[in-house]
Amino acid sequence: MAEPSAAEQRWLQAAGDFARRALPAREGPGRPEPPPLDAVLRCLRSAGGGDLPLGYSFISIADLQRQQCMPCCSHLTWSTNEFKEWTHQGQGVLPMQSALPRAYLILVGYLTDGRQEDKEKLVDGCLYLKDNTGIIPCELLHFELEWLESLFLFPSWSYIPQTDQSAAGYVEILVDPVPVNLPEEVPDSIPVTYPASAEPLLTSRIPCKKKSKLTVAGELARLGPLLCIHQKTFFFLFLKCFTSTVWVPVLVQVREQPLDSAWQGESTQSSSFGTPEQLSNSLELGVEDERPGSIKESKIISYVGTVTKILNVQAGLFLLDNKVCLCLAYQQFLNSARGLRPGACVELIDVHLLQKPLVSFPFIVLGACLSSTVVLKSFSRLSTPYQPPASSGNLYLQLLFRYNLGMPLYLWLVSLLETFEERFSCFFGRRRLLLSSTHRNPGAAEKFLVPLLQAVVPDREKARDIYNEILAKIHQCPLQKYLTLNPPCQAPSLSAVFRVAEQKSWEGFSPSQLLSPLEAQHMGTQELNRRLSWSYCTLSAGSFQPRLILLGVLRVSSRSSSLQLQDKSSTLPCVISHKDGSPFAHTALIGSLLQVENYQLVVERFLQTDFPSWKQLSNLEHVREKKTSVYVQFYFEDVQVLHAAEGQIQKALRRGNSSSLRKKDDDSLTSEVKTPEAKTMKLEDPKPDTHRDENCQKGQSSTRTTSCVSHLFLVTQKEGLMLRNYQLPREEQDLQRSFQATVLWLGRPRLWSHHTETGNLPELEESSCDGKEGMTRQETLLLFMGKSLRWFPFLHLDGLYRFIVPHCSDLEVFDKLCFPPVPAKFLSGSSCPLCLPVQDTWHLQHETWISCLSEHQLATRSMLRGMNQRISSIPEVISNSFTGSLVSFSGEIVERTLCASLKNGKPSVTLGLQKQKGSLLDSDHSVKLSVSVAPGSPVVVDIYIAAAYLQHLWGLLPGAKIFFQNLERKISRFHNVYCTYIATSCVSIVSLPASHLSFPSSPAGEASSPSLVFLSNLQAHLQHLPQARILCHLSCVLTLSLQWVCSLCSSIFKEGRCTRHSPPCPSHTGVRQASARVLVEDGTGEAFVLCRNQQVAAMLGLSLVEWEALQNCVQSRGRVSIQHGEATGTGCVEEPEDFVACYLRSLCRSPLICRPILMDFRLDRKPSKILQPAPLQLRNFRCGEMEFVSQVGPRLSLLCLNVEEVEQGALNYLNSERIRRAFCHC
């Protein structure tokens, strides 16, 4: 024999070292025999044609698990061409996947059926490969019982690591292993009992009788799945007689593991399944004919297919052949789903075929129950990793078995849980919080899902009988019958909510919906397009199909200074209120996961249009641009907290450093906490401020203790967000967005050794004991800029808050940062409060409200009430006796109208506001809010807010009750009282619009009908008369003017063109306008009434057809005017020869229009028309042939709002009702 070469000697030396280290020595007669290296080498020479595979190296189990991080395969006897052909065939199934890379490794080890735990062999139904260094699970397509505990050489195998590289993978044995030693001989014959003889023994068995042992032989008819229940591993097999159809079940279980439930075995003459249908891969799976709402029965089939995608391994969902979903959730996973990788071929026997179990599920489903068999036919040749299902804490399977769900409900549960995990695992970690399922402390996902399942599965008493499912003569399982499910609800991502809300807001939208035709036809181009530029619609959970549930992590953005719900996909601004009217100030909820089912999703629509007139509103080509702004508003009482976040202060104090921080786009810093599942996102800003006071940093403990400094304060005034120029030290002198609040410090700063001690209010306790003199009170102006703007939504009037400075022990930290608002040489006393810039690292904690202080704190409450600013009522604000310039009041928005910007706005403020980004309205617009005391109240005040402020104001909708602070009260030249929103103003939402209110597209709300009044009663309310109603008699028409004006320049429009010549107007669109001045009386007085447009037709008693014909006649003339009676000096020029003017003149003089009418009105408050109180005068009135004399005052000037005809019956009732009310007031 030739001497081995140097390379072969080195290879043999390495093989010897491997054998001594990895291969266990067998026990001999006297002492252990040396490792079986010679037998291994003999097998290698036999496989390689007599040569040793010098290009390969031995690898132990431990080295394989430790060194091999990527999937690989080894083929000891294959050539390069054979390997390429093998990989090419595998890639034909999934061409986008790469094939397994080849590794030149030799694997030798023992096959065993259990693993060692605590010096005991644990048999779990899986096969393992072991050597002296370790043990690893393995999968074989063919197995012989005599292979157990024998040493084998594995010529072709694949190693598949887990996706989680911290855990070991498994080995796929591609071809039969080669035994190193000959297996031990098995006895030739064993006495057995066949099924035909065993069947009577099984059926006549007495349960309480001692069990007898016998050996049964027969043809394997069916093999049940491997089950592990209550730590007991077992399976069933069914043996059929060779000469008849009789078959018996056989239970196979691990020794000394008796089942808890005793079951009565039962033989049967025929299979309960009958003959299953064979479903070929090439067969098209058509949709079966189904009746809506009918219960369907699944078919039992067999199927062979290739795994093309793992849909959800935790839920047991696999995609076969890109068209069929395999569900293994109802049957425990075969060997922890090892081998079920994309590219593997499986054979399914006796599985249930369910077509369209869930409306939203795109695939046909094959469900494997406990009577089904899943066989792995071939392993995957692709480099796809192994995704093991969770062995414990699998919420999918726990809820499936707890509620005994059918396939439709289970697929719906999977879709909800998948979306939930995808959206929020990046915030909290998947395993740690969301999927933890214990009855004592359920995770957030379980809190979300359990109420939904309880609503759709009210009957949970019927538990799943697994033994009956396997052994019963008539097959029964949860997959046997099903009903196509329409999901009862959905919880999509916030980005999907945005898309669906925007889509719904534009569905069926037409600009003509925003304005009534009677109103739009009299508007010019500028006013028409302005009224169309801003509208809104609201959506509730029931507006979506299925019902939409909102989920999100509550956070606050320092960029927009608004509350937001956030998930992985997007953020959704939100407005939160309390049903009792108190503001939302729960700072502890930042970072908590919230669920909201009762909400209002508001979509603000912004249009840029160039409609020439109302006639073109149906032509959408004039819509140049469409934008939307979406936010949600809800009550805190309708919120369910699925996961309460650890407090910001606790996290900041625990962390102690900011070395792992990274900056996000939204001016918020995110902490990267590395977990095996994901990087956990944090929602706070723990980064220390670079300009922080040095003394504060010096006072910190060198060991980074949890001590902190806090200071309690009361908010006495809060101002809104705007651009301000603060003269701060070491700061750039530039405008920056900010807000400020005036607060009253309570007590002195306190040092806390631990953050949990700050929950009490010792400052108030001391003040209650020491009396008023013992309480330290100091007023300070807090300046919020930068990241401290995140506290804007939480800071409210009359709230007690606490600033907490983490990692600080300097009690003078607040005083050292204060500075005077103006240079000291300009200060004239101590009345001006000091300014304190709020640092980014400070934390705000809401404690309570003044009204909620306890009994022993009453002294403090009475002392602090005097610090509150005055809150007025709307009647007080509009009264003549009111003298203040800044007002605060609350009211309900009746109407929201976009109008032109006020001409008297301050230029400097306006220019500064125009620099702000994010406003979707033009800067030359303002919004007018008509606010009333209560729903239906006629007392209304108008509030004007510049468009630049609106980007920070959410929830200003009709029906919402708003608290307005520090508005500027003004009186117009028409003697109207109105308010404007200025730099010191602020608003807060007291209550949301009622859910039953209809919010179409128009921003206007409707108030109740105004009350009936007498004209004589109006003398005492000349200045501030609200809208009212009178039952009066139309005496005569004094003036009447009908005209067509240009939609652009308001010049007379005649014969289809504008009459303006210098410069010429290009408009070809005219707008018709009408006005009339009439005289009415009600027996107690007379009044002039100004009517416009459609009200003129109502006053003249013309029908819609008559009015249209009259307007068409006026169009060719441009303008027609008449005057009659006492109307002098009105500027109306008559054309006596014009037949239209003659017709109108005769109509106005006709007795037909002198009739009783019901008219809604308000005072026409032009200065020239407001009459001072005058003595009453005698005046004659005629009714038919009767003449009356009455004392009346001077004639008032009214503005008509609506005219209604009065029938005789209604006239009698209204007269009696008016007289009754008059006597009641006397």
Side-chain angles (χ1 to χ4, degrees):
M1 184 174 181
E3 288 290 330
S5 63
E8 184 176 351
Q9 290 180 359
R10 290 193 298 271
W11 188 91
L12 289 173
Q13 183 178 359
D17 296 338
F18 163 78
R20 286 187 293 273
R21 179 172 60 90
L23 299 181
R26 295 184 297 177
E27 294 290 335
R31 59 180 181 176
E33 296 182 0
L37 177 60
D38 295 339
V40 173
L41 295 179
R42 183 176 62 252
C43 291
L44 289 174
R45 292 183 187 275
S46 176
D51 297 328
L52 292 175
L54 301 184
Y56 288 75
S57 59
F58 289 92
I59 188 169
S60 64
I61 302 297
D63 291 341
L64 180 65
Q65 294 173 324
R66 182 175 59 253
Q67 298 176 6
Q68 195 65 36
C69 300
M70 300 296 294
C72 66
C73 64
S74 178
H75 303 280
L76 186 63
T77 61
W78 287 10
S79 65
T80 302
N81 292 333
E82 289 175 328
F83 175 73
K84 288 182 178 180
E85 178 66 21
W86 180 77
T87 57
H88 179 72
Q89 294 175 359
Q91 287 180 310
V93 179
L94 295 172
M96 302 303 295
Q97 293 283 350
S98 60
L100 282 168
R102 187 174 185 178
Y104 298 90
L105 300 173
I106 301 174
L107 189 62
V108 180
Y110 289 85
L111 283 176
T112 180
D113 59 350
R115 62 182 188 273
Q116 295 295 128
E117 286 191 6
D118 299 330
K119 299 181 180 180
E120 293 184 2
K121 184 178 181 181
L122 178 61
V123 179
D124 55 5
C126 299
L127 290 176
Y128 294 88
L129 177 62
K130 69 175 182 179
D131 61 11
N132 274 349
T133 63
I135 187 171
I136 188 173
C138 65
E139 295 294 323
L140 293 89
L141 301 178
H142 170 244
F143 176 72
E144 300 289 344
L145 187 62
E146 58 268 18
W147 290 358
L148 286 177
E149 305 302 331
S150 298
L151 182 63
F152 285 93
L153 169 69
F154 300 93
S156 293
W157 53 273
S158 301
Y159 173 68
I160 310 299
Q162 290 191 21
T163 52
D164 180 8
Q165 297 182 3
S166 62
Y170 71 99
V171 174
E172 296 175 348
I173 308 301
L174 305 180
V175 299
D176 286 351
V178 178
V180 174
N181 300 308
L182 295 177
E184 297 181 1
E185 295 185 359
V186 182
D188 294 335
S189 62
I190 299 177
V192 297
T193 302
Y194 292 98
S197 303
E199 186 266 341
L201 298 176
L202 188 61
T203 55
S204 60
R205 184 183 60 170
I206 302 176
C208 298
K209 190 176 180 180
K210 183 178 179 181
K211 299 178 182 178
S212 58
K213 298 181 180 180
L214 70 157
T215 304
V216 182
E219 181 182 355
L220 181 63
R222 181 160 58 91
L223 179 65
L226 184 68
L227 302 176
C228 183
I229 300 176
H230 297 302
Q231 298 181 351
K232 297 175 178 60
T233 305
F234 62 96
F235 68 93
F236 287 92
L237 57 87
F238 298 85
L239 296 180
K240 180 182 176 183
C241 185
F242 296 106
T243 58
S244 66
T245 59
V246 177
W247 55 279
V248 295
V250 178
L251 170 66
V252 181
Q253 59 180 328
V254 179
R255 293 188 302 272
E256 301 178 358
Q257 284 190 356
L259 297 179
D260 293 336
S261 302
W263 52 274
Q264 178 68 39
E266 184 176 7
S267 65
T268 180
Q269 298 298 322
S270 62
S271 172
S272 60
F273 291 101
T275 304
E277 300 181 14
Q278 298 294 328
L279 191 63
S280 171
N281 283 359
S282 61
L283 181 63
E284 291 293 333
L285 298 174
V287 179
E288 63 183 6
D289 296 333
E290 60 180 48
R291 290 173 295 175
S294 62
I295 297 179
K296 295 173 287 188
E297 188 165 350
S298 61
K299 296 180 180 179
I300 305 297
I301 67 169
S302 296
Y303 183 82
V304 178
T306 301
V307 179
T308 53
K309 184 179 180 180
I310 299 178
L311 297 177
N312 189 326
V313 69
Q314 305 301 330
L317 299 181
F318 303 84
L319 186 61
L320 305 182
D321 303 323
N322 289 321
K323 61 182 179 181
V324 180
C325 173
L326 170 62
C327 178
L328 299 179
Y330 293 84
Q331 178 190 103
Q332 289 189 347
F333 296 109
L334 176 65
N335 297 341
S336 299
R338 289 190 291 268
L340 294 179
R341 298 185 298 115
C345 181
V346 293
E347 180 182 5
L348 309 176
I349 305 173
D350 297 339
V351 293
H352 294 261
L353 172 64
L354 296 90
Q355 300 201 34
K356 207 65 176 177
L358 184 66
V359 172
S360 57
F361 196 70
F363 305 110
I364 294 174
V365 180
L366 298 178
C369 67
L370 294 181
S371 294
S372 307
T373 304
V374 180
V375 180
L376 192 63
K377 299 295 292 183
S378 65
F379 293 113
S380 173
R381 306 176 186 184
L382 303 176
S383 181
T384 52
Y386 168 51
Q387 302 179 20
S391 57
S392 62
N394 190 326
L395 191 58
Y396 295 95
L397 302 184
Q398 287 181 3
L399 295 178
L400 169 66
F401 296 131
R402 185 190 307 175
Y403 294 95
N404 195 18
L405 301 177
M407 181 65 74
L409 282 175
Y410 179 64
L411 292 178
W412 175 59
L413 164 70
V414 170
S415 65
L416 287 178
L417 198 50
E418 282 179 341
T419 306
F420 191 91
E421 179 183 341
E422 170 67 19
R423 295 173 60 188
F424 303 113
S425 60
C426 58
F427 295 96
F428 308 110
R430 182 177 64 87
R431 296 180 182 176
R432 186 170 62 92
L433 291 177
L434 295 183
L435 296 185
S436 62
S437 175
T438 59
H439 294 290
R440 294 183 179 180
N441 185 24
E446 189 171 356
K447 288 181 181 178
F448 167 60
L449 293 171
V450 165
L452 301 180
L453 294 177
Q454 290 175 342
V456 297
V457 191
D459 183 17
R460 293 192 302 147
E461 298 179 356
K462 187 178 179 181
R464 186 178 178 185
D465 187 353
I466 63 172
Y467 305 111
N468 192 42
E469 186 175 329
I470 298 174
L471 304 172
K473 180 182 298 185
I474 300 177
H475 180 62
Q476 296 178 355
C477 74
L479 303 179
Q480 193 171 10
K481 296 181 179 180
Y482 67 100
L483 179 66
T484 299
L485 176 67
N486 281 309
C489 64
Q490 58 176 326
S493 64
L494 292 181
S495 60
V497 172
F498 262 100
R499 291 193 301 269
V500 175
E502 290 180 342
Q503 179 182 355
K504 281 189 169 293
S505 68
W506 296 115
E507 283 181 357
F509 171 77
S510 174
S512 59
Q513 299 172 351
L514 304 180
L515 300 170
S516 65
L518 298 179
E519 183 183 11
Q521 62 184 343
H522 306 292
M523 291 183 180
T525 300
Q526 186 176 6
E527 182 183 4
L528 177 67
N529 289 287
R530 181 173 62 242
R531 293 287 293 273
L532 296 175
S533 62
W534 188 26
S535 61
Y536 75 98
C537 70
T538 60
L539 305 169
S540 63
S543 303
F544 303 89
Q545 293 299 327
R547 180 171 56 92
L548 193 148
I549 299 176
L550 281 180
L551 299 174
V553 179
L554 183 66
R555 66 183 295 269
V556 58
S557 170
S558 59
R559 173 173 296 178
S560 63
S561 303
S562 64
L563 294 173
Q564 295 177 342
L565 294 179
Q566 183 186 26
D567 65 2
K568 184 179 180 180
S569 65
S570 183
T571 59
L572 178 64
C574 60
V575 176
I576 308 178
S577 300
H578 283 275
K579 291 184 177 180
D580 61 359
S582 61
F584 177 78
H586 297 280
T587 54
L589 281 182
I590 298 178
S592 299
L593 180 57
L594 307 183
Q595 174 183 345
V596 190
E597 298 189 41
N598 188 13
Y599 57 86
Q600 294 175 356
L601 194 62
V602 183
V603 183
E604 302 273 7
R605 297 178 297 213
F606 302 90
L607 295 177
Q608 287 189 5
T609 59
D610 56 1
F611 287 101
S613 69
W614 66 279
K615 294 182 179 180
Q616 291 79 25
L617 288 179
S618 59
N619 186 3
L620 298 183
E621 293 181 356
H622 294 281
V623 179
R624 300 306 181 193
E625 187 178 10
K626 297 193 301 185
K627 293 182 180 180
T628 56
S629 175
V630 184
Y631 64 95
V632 65
Q633 50 188 15
F634 51 86
Y635 286 110
F636 175 71
E637 288 77 7
D638 296 328
V639 170
Q640 181 183 0
V641 181
L642 298 180
H643 173 71
E646 185 181 2
Q648 296 186 0
I649 304 166
Q650 290 89 322
K651 288 187 288 188
L653 292 174
R654 185 192 69 245
R655 182 167 45 249
N657 59 70
S658 57
S659 58
S660 62
L661 296 181
R662 55 189 174 93
K663 191 168 184 178
K664 304 298 286 183
D665 296 336
D666 196 25
D667 291 348
S668 60
L669 292 178
T670 308
S671 175
E672 294 183 352
V673 180
K674 296 183 179 180
T675 62
E677 306 90 351
K679 294 182 179 180
T680 305
M681 299 173 63
K682 300 298 180 182
L683 302 175
E684 59 174 359
D685 179 13
K687 186 175 180 179
D689 186 15
T690 55
H691 301 299
R692 195 169 172 180
D693 190 84
E694 297 179 358
N695 294 325
C696 179
Q697 295 182 354
K698 292 180 180 178
Q700 299 178 14
S701 172
S702 59
T703 58
R704 307 293 294 181
T705 62
T706 59
S707 63
C708 60
V709 174
S710 73
H711 207 173
L712 187 70
F713 63 89
L714 168 71
V715 179
T716 59
Q717 181 177 333
K718 176 187 173 183
E719 300 183 3
L721 283 166
M722 68 166 298
L723 295 177
R724 292 181 173 89
N725 185 10
Y726 290 121
Q727 302 293 328
L728 298 181
R730 303 184 302 275
E731 292 285 346
E732 296 181 2
Q733 307 302 322
D734 194 9
L735 293 176
Q736 53 183 322
R737 196 164 56 89
S738 61
F739 78 96
Q740 58 191 30
T742 304
V743 303
L744 187 69
W745 294 117
L746 302 180
R748 298 177 178 84
R750 290 181 171 270
L751 179 65
W752 306 92
S753 59
H754 197 269
H755 58 269
T756 57
E757 300 177 2
T758 62
N760 301 322
L761 298 176
E763 296 89 347
L764 301 185
E765 305 288 342
E766 293 179 1
S767 63
S768 300
C769 299
D770 300 340
K772 296 184 179 181
E773 292 76 9
M775 186 174 188
T776 303
R777 299 187 303 175
Q778 180 184 0
E779 200 171 36
T780 303
L781 184 64
L782 300 179
L783 310 180
F784 293 84
M785 296 165 289
K787 293 182 177 58
S788 64
L789 291 176
R790 66 186 185 273
W791 304 123
F792 180 78
F794 296 102
L795 213 62
H796 299 285
L797 195 67
D798 292 340
L800 289 173
Y801 298 85
R802 186 186 301 277
F803 269 136
I804 300 178
V805 184
H807 307 299
C808 181
S809 58
D810 186 3
L811 295 178
E812 299 180 358
V813 58
F814 299 100
D815 296 334
K816 293 178 179 179
L817 292 174
C818 288
F819 64 92
V822 295
K825 62 180 179 179
F826 297 109
L827 291 178
S828 59
S830 59
S831 60
C832 190
L834 295 176
C835 296
L836 174 62
V838 178
Q839 305 300 298
D840 294 343
T841 55
W842 292 1
H843 296 280
L844 183 71
Q845 178 174 302
H846 176 253
E847 298 291 350
T848 185
W849 306 99
I850 291 182
S851 57
C852 299
L853 294 179
S854 57
E855 293 183 0
H856 61 280
Q857 298 168 339
L858 291 179
T860 303
R861 182 167 62 181
S862 61
M863 189 170 19
L864 296 178
R865 277 180 174 173
M867 306 299 299
N868 297 346
Q869 60 175 284
R870 179 187 175 187
I871 299 177
S872 307
S873 63
I874 293 180
E876 291 175 347
V877 172
I878 64 176
S879 66
N880 289 330
S881 59
F882 195 88
T883 58
S885 60
L886 294 181
V887 293
S888 298
F889 58 89
S890 61
E892 181 175 312
I893 299 178
V894 178
E895 184 180 3
R896 189 183 78 171
T897 308
L898 195 65
C899 56
S901 180
L902 297 179
K903 301 300 182 181
N904 56 355
K906 295 182 179 180
S908 59
V909 176
T910 306
L911 290 176
L913 289 171
Q914 288 179 358
K915 298 179 182 179
Q916 302 186 39
K917 296 181 180 180
S919 180
L920 297 177
L921 291 174
D922 293 337
S923 58
D924 59 347
H925 288 169
S926 294
V927 62
K928 183 183 74 173
L929 302 178
S930 299
V931 180
S932 66
V933 179
S937 173
V939 182
V940 177
V941 63
D942 293 334
I943 301 172
Y944 293 87
I945 305 177
Y949 289 114
L950 293 174
Q951 59 177 311
H952 306 302
L953 304 179
W954 306 91
L956 299 182
L957 303 178
K961 189 174 182 180
I962 312 294
F963 177 52
F964 299 92
Q965 304 176 49
N966 294 332
L967 298 178
E968 186 177 8
R969 180 181 182 269
K970 293 185 176 182
I971 301 177
S972 69
R973 58 190 178 95
F974 299 145
H975 293 264
N976 288 327
V977 174
Y978 67 97
C979 297
T980 58
Y981 189 97
I982 58 176
T984 59
S985 304
C986 189
V987 300
S988 59
I989 310 296
V990 177
S991 63
L992 306 178
S995 57
H996 65 272
L997 290 179
S998 61
F999 297 109
S1001 300
S1002 174
E1006 292 186 3
S1008 60
S1009 299
S1011 58
L1012 280 171
V1013 298
F1014 287 107
L1015 289 176
S1016 60
N1017 295 337
L1018 303 182
Q1019 294 292 335
H1021 309 284
L1022 288 178
Q1023 299 298 325
H1024 304 292
L1025 180 75
Q1027 178 179 339
R1029 170 175 290 189
I1030 57 172
L1031 179 62
C1032 59
H1033 185 268
L1034 177 57
S1035 300
C1036 65
V1037 178
L1038 303 177
T1039 63
L1040 177 62
S1041 175
L1042 303 179
Q1043 61 182 5
W1044 283 75
V1045 298
C1046 176
S1047 62
L1048 289 179
C1049 65
S1050 299
S1051 301
I1052 295 298
F1053 192 84
K1054 185 177 181 180
E1055 297 180 349
R1057 64 173 60 91
C1058 180
T1059 59
R1060 193 185 75 178
H1061 300 289
S1062 180
C1065 180
S1067 174
H1068 296 281
T1069 304
V1071 176
R1072 57 189 183 185
Q1073 295 179 349
S1075 63
R1077 194 160 176 261
V1078 301
L1079 181 66
V1080 299
E1081 55 85 13
D1082 68 345
T1084 66
E1086 292 179 317
F1088 296 118
V1089 179
L1090 178 63
C1091 309
R1092 297 188 184 277
N1093 300 322
Q1094 198 66 27
Q1095 300 161 5
V1096 176
M1099 283 290 185
L1100 297 179
L1102 298 177
S1103 65
L1104 182 60
V1105 176
E1106 294 171 336
W1107 180 249
E1108 289 294 330
L1110 181 60
Q1111 292 286 351
N1112 293 334
C1113 293
V1114 175
Q1115 183 177 13
S1116 60
R1117 294 162 175 80
R1119 178 176 183 178
V1120 175
S1121 302
I1122 66 168
Q1123 58 184 8
H1124 173 66
E1126 304 176 26
T1128 58
T1130 58
C1132 296
V1133 179
E1134 295 190 29
E1135 300 179 11
E1137 301 301 327
D1138 189 85
F1139 75 91
V1140 177
C1142 294
Y1143 165 75
L1144 291 175
R1145 187 180 302 108
S1146 61
L1147 179 64
C1148 293
R1149 294 173 180 175
S1150 171
L1152 295 178
I1153 67 170
C1154 298
R1155 66 195 189 280
I1157 59 173
L1158 189 63
M1159 184 180 70
D1160 296 344
F1161 71 94
R1162 64 178 174 85
L1163 281 180
D1164 187 10
R1165 298 191 182 95
K1166 292 184 179 180
S1168 60
K1169 304 301 180 183
I1170 295 181
L1171 304 178
Q1172 298 300 322
L1176 300 179
Q1177 299 177 355
L1178 291 177
R1179 195 169 185 87
N1180 296 333
F1181 294 93
R1182 178 176 294 274
C1183 180
E1185 297 181 355
M1186 301 293 295
E1187 187 171 345
F1188 301 91
V1189 178
S1190 177
Q1191 287 185 335
V1192 297
R1195 292 171 177 173
L1196 300 174
S1197 292
L1198 306 181
L1199 184 64
C1200 179
L1201 301 178
N1202 187 42
V1203 178
E1204 298 179 16
E1205 299 292 338
V1206 184
E1207 299 295 336
Q1208 186 63 39
L1211 178 62
N1212 295 335
Y1213 170 77
L1214 291 173
N1215 271 325
S1216 60
E1217 184 69 15
R1218 184 177 60 168
I1219 295 173
R1220 184 186 64 82
R1221 293 183 180 180
F1223 280 111
C1224 292
H1225 289 290
C1226 291

